[in-house]
Amino acid sequence: MPSDAPPDEPVLARPSPETDTLAPEERALIADEEQVLHHVQSELARAIAAPVSGVDFDRELTSLRDQLAEERAEDHAMLVEHMTRLAALRAAQSREYAPPADPRSPYFARLRLEDVHQGEPRVREVLIGRRAFIDTRRGVQIVDWRNSPISRIYYCYREGDEYEERFAGELQAGQVRARRTLKIEDGALVRLQQGERVLVRDPDEGWLRMAADRSRLAGGAGTAIRAPGEHLGRYGPDQRLPEITALIDPEQFRIITDKRSGVVIIRGGAGTGKTTIALHRVAFLHFEDKSRFAGKRVLIITPGDALRRYVGRVLPALDVRGVPIRTFPKWAMETCKRLVPRMKKRKLTDETPTGARRLKRAPALLDLLADAVRERGRGWDDAMREAGGDGLLDAWVRRRNLPPMQRLAALERWLESDGKAVLAAHRVPITRTIEQARDELGDPFEAWAELFSDRVRVAAALDRSGFAYYDWELNQLVETVARQADDPLDRSHLDPALRTGIDGVSIDEGDITGRLDVDDLAAILRLCQLQYGRLTGPSGQVVRYEHVVADEAQDLSPMTIKVLCDAVRPGGPVTLAGDTAQRLSLDAGFEDWDVLVEQLGLDAHVLPPLSVSYRSTRQVMALARHVLGPLAPAVQARDARDGAPVEMLRFTETGEAVAFLADALKSLRDRERRSSVALVARTAAVADLYYKSLKRAEVPDLRRIRQQEFDFSPGIDVTDVFQIKGLEYDYIVLLEPTARQYPEDVESRHLLHVAATRAAHQLWLIASDAPSPLLPATLVEGRGLDEADPEAEA
């Protein structure tokens, strides 16, 4: 998934007598386009100059109606759209007139179509822009790229192709005689592309021809590692898969074969092999002791379903089978329902309000739970004395260092041996008291609901730890937990049709009543461990592993990590792999591994950061480090590979960007059928926009990934950055890395870094608005990414 040339335009082929003097036909091409632009701007100037009160809308609408009778069916849609605009203006004549097209950049493409009209050959000119401006009698036809039927010809056909499309229910045919992509800035033509020919206006040297091999995705097929069963590593002539273990370097091998127990934290930047090491450590321990580290006794936690499926394909290739591989929410819900019977009807929610979610992840809540469990145990001292006198109280107090449920079990064993006399004298009250204590001290759900809705206790815990919070967040937490602790809503008696609103959305959408989030599950499981001394609960079932692995652990909360570390047999191995620079969740509760280890009281071995980055090229990593800025780690991994330059391609309009990208992707799919490409947006809305537009342009092998449904097959995935964590592609195209999408804040730095470092071979940035301030000035200004420039490595 090297040159220092400016990436926002392909490299200019500088003038030389042999190759770079523009040919006469190229100069004629430029002159033709400038003449068309001048004509369009003149007509737009007339429209702008005409005051609204001086426009006879009825006459204009009548004229357009007459044109409908004269024009071909495929032109009807754009004429009707223009009539609609005029009608709206007529209804609001008092408003200031605004031209439908921007004279500074009225269109971005031009088509010349040849067809037969009424038995005679005809050639027509159509311009493609953001908004329509049509006056066929004056020779101006700018159609809207988003909804004009004829714009489909531009996106779906190449110059010289014969087209056959259905317009207004009628099948139309013809030939694309010319198809040109244009860039107009501040009213001037600055770039012209026709097929492989690209001409650019240089501010100093005038019009120049550009090198044909730039601004092209190429040479990366098979660079990104894929899971066995698909295509792991590069494909050679024999088309056989290489051994995954052959990818391990000496440093990684030492970590994999380290037999130390306890918690091992594998740190490293993007592409340094953290996941590879973690999986091979599973395989190594399994090989060393197949009985103890049998598949069913190991747990692997992944950040999403895509990586879960990937790991599920890799482990069998390492001769390890039967390992439960789960996302933490999935595993936690399964485990809670298994251990706490009253939770069987509970469902998961991700609708928890922001403030409540942040406080639930505060490390201070770990101490809150531990203190509360101890206090609850002490709260039964008086009841024990009342039930069995000083003898029972003494036996109860002497076992105070045990978890409450183990303490009760030990007390019962004492009553059956050394305390028989006490039991005989007070059998009924003692039996009743122990049963009541068991009900209270062994209910993790009730303890969670009571503690997390106790405003005073939560505030005190946060204050002791120095955790900063707002009163509104605390109020939100208490109110949220109170609703979540309620019984789930039962709407089974309602007719299915009544469970959905008139907008087609379930009436329960967004309702958190009776629903728990992943942080609630972590807290309840932690309470199970504190109350019972191990991962068990009221059901009596026990959950214990010999080895736990958590990948991308930087996005797990301290509570979650503590639960996983204590889910193994005492002293057993726990492998945590992560990179705090790649955090997608800034409210996870920690920013530094050493601080986390201290907070959790772990006996952990925090390994030095991995020193070599294998996935992304030197060029990609230079950009990724710049984006992190002050968040970049002090020790940088060495980049193992050189590669294609990072390119930023800027456009004045989304439609222009879509056109360029559609051509590039079609060309890539023609040349490299096994390549993997991801188009990555920050938001689902931007991903949807590009997906629908590229689908309309008939880009092949296009998939919209919304909920981790990656299948790791060759093709083009359109998704958002939150879906793609932990994965890699041959090619990555960042969609709209603009100031609006990625402002200068900590979260944007992390997200942009994660998105960029998914690229194994080549990275493009496509923007149709002001670029993000996080990007290097040299890249934005078209001077390339100077990796030796301190500003680029800041």
Side-chain angles (χ1 to χ4, degrees):
M1 312 191 161
S3 165
D4 291 329
D8 79 325
E9 290 289 1
V11 156
L12 295 179
R14 295 297 175 186
S16 72
E18 295 78 20
T19 61
D20 288 284
T21 302
L22 294 186
E25 63 269 20
E26 292 172 330
R27 297 190 180 281
L29 191 64
I30 294 168
D32 178 43
E33 291 300 336
E34 289 180 332
Q35 182 179 359
V36 171
L37 175 60
H38 178 73
H39 174 68
V40 170
Q41 289 173 327
S42 297
E43 296 303 325
L44 281 170
R46 289 196 184 116
I48 294 170
V52 167
S53 58
V55 176
D56 187 341
F57 289 109
D58 289 330
R59 181 177 60 80
E60 293 289 343
L61 288 168
T62 301
S63 173
L64 287 170
R65 182 198 63 193
D66 294 341
Q67 291 180 49
L68 281 173
E70 299 171 5
E71 297 299 323
R72 287 173 60 89
E74 62 264 34
D75 295 332
H76 289 177
M78 58 186 177
L79 290 170
V80 169
E81 191 238 358
H82 195 48
M83 290 176 70
T84 302
R85 292 183 183 277
L86 287 177
L89 286 171
R90 182 178 63 177
Q93 285 194 2
S94 61
R95 291 181 299 182
E96 182 180 355
Y97 176 73
D102 183 356
R104 295 170 302 176
S105 182
Y107 54 90
F108 57 81
R110 180 183 176 190
L111 285 176
R112 180 176 295 138
L113 306 177
E114 185 178 276
D115 57 20
V116 176
H117 178 56
Q118 296 180 352
E120 296 293 330
R122 180 177 68 164
V123 175
R124 293 183 300 145
E125 301 280 353
V126 179
L127 304 174
I128 314 290
R130 179 166 53 184
R131 299 179 67 185
F133 179 73
I134 301 169
D135 189 332
T136 56
R137 293 179 177 177
R138 292 180 176 176
V140 178
Q141 292 191 54
I142 304 176
V143 301
D144 190 321
W145 73 274
R146 294 164 292 189
N147 53 34
S148 176
I150 204 168
S151 68
R152 177 178 166 80
I153 296 177
Y154 171 72
Y155 285 105
C156 298
Y157 296 88
R158 300 176 184 179
E159 185 169 308
D161 287 352
E162 294 185 352
Y163 66 86
E164 188 175 79
E165 293 288 337
R166 190 171 296 277
F167 299 115
E170 181 180 349
L171 191 65
Q172 304 290 334
Q175 186 178 35
V176 181
R177 298 296 295 171
R179 179 185 182 277
R180 298 171 189 169
T181 301
L182 311 165
K183 187 171 186 178
I184 301 170
E185 287 184 345
D186 295 325
L189 181 67
V190 297
R191 189 175 188 272
L192 188 160
Q193 179 173 357
Q194 183 175 27
E196 293 295 318
R197 174 184 291 157
V198 180
L199 307 174
V200 169
R201 184 199 297 270
D202 183 273
D204 300 320
E205 302 182 43
W207 283 96
L208 302 172
R209 185 186 307 115
M210 303 173 70
D213 60 344
R214 291 281 302 174
S215 280
R216 177 174 171 177
L217 297 169
T223 304
I225 293 178
R226 303 325 244 180
E230 294 297 337
H231 52 288
L232 173 65
R234 296 178 183 273
Y235 273 81
D238 60 1
Q239 299 295 294
R240 290 180 297 182
L241 295 173
E243 275 287 332
I244 185 172
T245 311
L247 303 174
I248 300 300
D249 68 17
E251 180 186 21
Q252 295 171 336
F253 185 77
R254 283 193 295 271
I255 298 172
I256 290 166
T257 56
D258 190 335
K259 297 182 181 180
R260 79 178 74 228
S261 293
V263 180
V264 174
I265 298 177
I266 303 171
R267 300 182 296 163
T272 52
K274 299 180 296 297
T275 301
T276 299
I277 292 173
L279 298 183
H280 279 76
R281 184 161 170 77
V282 171
F284 175 78
L285 294 175
H286 173 73
F287 176 80
E288 289 288 297
D289 191 337
K290 288 184 172 59
S291 176
R292 177 184 172 188
F293 296 106
K296 65 181 180 180
R297 296 181 176 179
V298 177
L299 172 67
I300 297 180
I301 297 295
T302 66
D305 285 330
L307 197 56
R308 177 184 60 79
R309 291 192 296 272
Y310 171 84
V311 172
R313 293 176 181 178
V314 169
L315 285 180
L318 300 175
D319 287 331
V320 182
R321 293 173 173 80
V323 175
I325 308 165
R326 301 284 190 274
T327 62
F328 183 76
K330 176 76 171 175
W331 175 80
M333 181 59 87
E334 290 175 351
T335 306
C336 279
K337 290 184 175 183
R338 180 178 170 187
L339 302 183
V340 187
R342 67 182 293 181
M343 292 184 61
K344 287 190 180 297
K345 293 185 178 180
R346 299 279 171 170
K347 294 183 179 180
L348 193 65
T349 181
D350 58 2
E351 300 287 343
T352 301
T354 305
R357 182 175 64 244
R358 193 177 80 90
L359 295 192
K360 286 181 181 183
R361 296 187 169 192
L365 296 193
L366 280 162
D367 291 336
L368 171 67
L369 298 187
D371 292 344
V373 169
R374 284 192 293 269
E375 288 177 17
R376 284 189 168 211
R378 288 194 295 269
W380 282 87
D381 290 358
D382 292 343
M384 292 297 176
R385 175 187 284 114
E386 184 177 342
D390 290 340
L392 183 64
L393 174 62
D394 180 66
W396 171 250
V397 171
R398 281 190 285 111
R399 292 160 177 80
R400 62 180 173 271
N401 291 330
L402 293 174
M405 297 305 288
Q406 291 185 9
R407 189 178 180 187
L408 284 171
L411 183 65
E412 288 180 303
R413 289 193 297 271
W414 176 81
L415 288 168
E416 293 172 358
S417 56
D418 296 343
K420 284 183 178 180
V422 175
L423 180 62
H426 308 280
R427 181 177 297 275
V428 173
I430 288 176
T431 302
R432 182 173 61 247
T433 299
I434 289 178
E435 286 301 318
Q436 290 173 345
R438 181 178 289 111
D439 289 342
E440 179 181 315
L441 299 179
D443 188 341
F445 183 87
E446 192 62 35
W448 159 80
E450 180 181 320
L451 288 171
F452 276 33
S453 59
D454 188 331
R455 192 182 194 281
V456 174
R457 294 195 66 165
V458 171
L462 295 174
D463 290 339
R464 282 194 302 271
S465 71
F467 187 90
Y469 63 93
Y470 295 99
D471 283 342
W472 68 263
E473 291 180 302
L474 192 57
N475 293 334
Q476 191 178 77
L477 172 66
V478 172
E479 294 167 4
T480 298
V481 172
R483 291 173 60 194
Q484 292 177 304
D486 284 345
D487 291 334
L489 297 173
D490 182 8
R491 303 192 191 276
S492 59
H493 61 286
L494 292 179
D495 185 280
L498 299 178
R499 299 178 201 169
T500 304
I502 58 175
D503 56 357
V505 178
S506 169
I507 60 176
D508 293 329
E509 184 78 20
D511 190 353
I512 62 174
T513 303
R515 295 171 179 258
L516 306 182
D517 59 46
V518 64
D519 298 302
D520 300 322
L521 300 179
I524 291 169
L525 291 175
R526 183 60 190 155
L527 282 165
C528 285
Q529 293 171 328
L530 292 169
Q531 291 173 339
Y532 290 83
R534 54 182 176 171
L535 196 50
T536 185
S539 70
Q541 298 185 57
V542 179
V543 175
R544 174 176 287 176
Y545 300 98
E546 294 295 332
H547 184 196
V548 169
V549 175
D551 197 15
E552 302 289 349
Q554 72 274 0
D555 282 320
L556 298 177
S557 70
M559 183 85 72
T560 296
I561 292 176
K562 184 64 172 176
V563 167
L564 293 174
C565 288
D566 285 0
V568 298
R569 182 177 59 82
V574 176
T575 304
L576 304 177
D579 176 17
T580 53
Q582 296 187 65
R583 288 185 299 154
L584 294 183
S585 175
L586 297 188
D587 58 4
F590 76 96
E591 300 178 6
D592 181 86
W593 290 111
D594 292 322
V595 173
L596 176 73
V597 167
E598 183 178 352
Q599 288 175 337
L600 300 186
L602 299 176
D603 180 15
H605 183 51
V606 182
L607 300 177
L610 295 168
S611 60
V612 181
S613 176
Y614 291 100
R615 177 195 300 143
S616 299
T617 64
R618 176 174 58 85
Q619 290 77 5
V620 171
M621 292 309 299
L623 173 65
R625 289 170 189 136
H626 176 90
V627 164
L628 279 179
L631 305 179
V635 179
Q636 302 286 356
R638 177 170 53 85
D639 306 320
R641 294 188 298 115
D642 215 20
V646 173
E647 298 192 52
M648 182 164 194
L649 301 152
R650 298 178 61 185
F651 302 90
T652 56
E653 157 61 34
T654 307
E656 181 186 359
V658 168
F660 175 87
L661 193 53
D663 286 346
L665 294 173
K666 289 176 183 177
S667 173
L668 177 66
R669 297 304 294 155
D670 286 344
R671 291 178 281 107
E672 300 181 17
R673 296 299 300 169
R674 292 190 177 278
S675 62
S676 60
V677 186
L679 313 184
V680 185
R682 175 163 184 170
T683 66
V686 172
D688 283 338
L689 172 63
Y690 272 84
Y691 173 75
K692 292 173 182 176
S693 301
L694 293 170
K695 194 74 174 176
R696 187 166 177 252
E698 297 186 347
V699 173
D701 307 313
L702 197 67
R703 300 179 291 253
R704 176 69 175 94
I705 306 297
R706 293 182 172 85
Q707 294 294 331
Q708 294 273 309
E709 59 268 36
F710 300 93
D711 64 8
F712 305 106
S713 62
I716 304 165
D717 293 338
V718 186
T719 189
D720 61 80
V721 65
F722 297 96
Q723 303 296 319
I724 204 170
K725 182 172 69 170
L727 307 181
E728 63 182 78
Y729 284 77
D730 300 330
Y731 303 95
I732 289 290
V733 179
L734 300 187
L735 302 176
E736 302 299 337
T738 61
R740 183 176 304 175
Q741 294 290 319
Y742 295 93
E744 191 168 359
D745 57 40
V746 171
E747 182 178 29
S748 294
R749 287 187 184 278
H750 283 295
L751 296 181
L752 198 51
H753 174 82
V754 169
T757 53
R758 301 309 96 194
H761 176 71
Q762 192 170 355
L763 173 65
W764 273 5
L765 295 82
I766 300 285
S768 60
D769 202 350
S772 168
L774 302 178
L775 299 173
T778 54
L779 188 66
V780 171
E781 294 167 3
R783 294 183 282 120
L785 180 60
D786 184 357
E787 299 144 43
D789 185 352
E791 188 274 340
E793 293 283 354

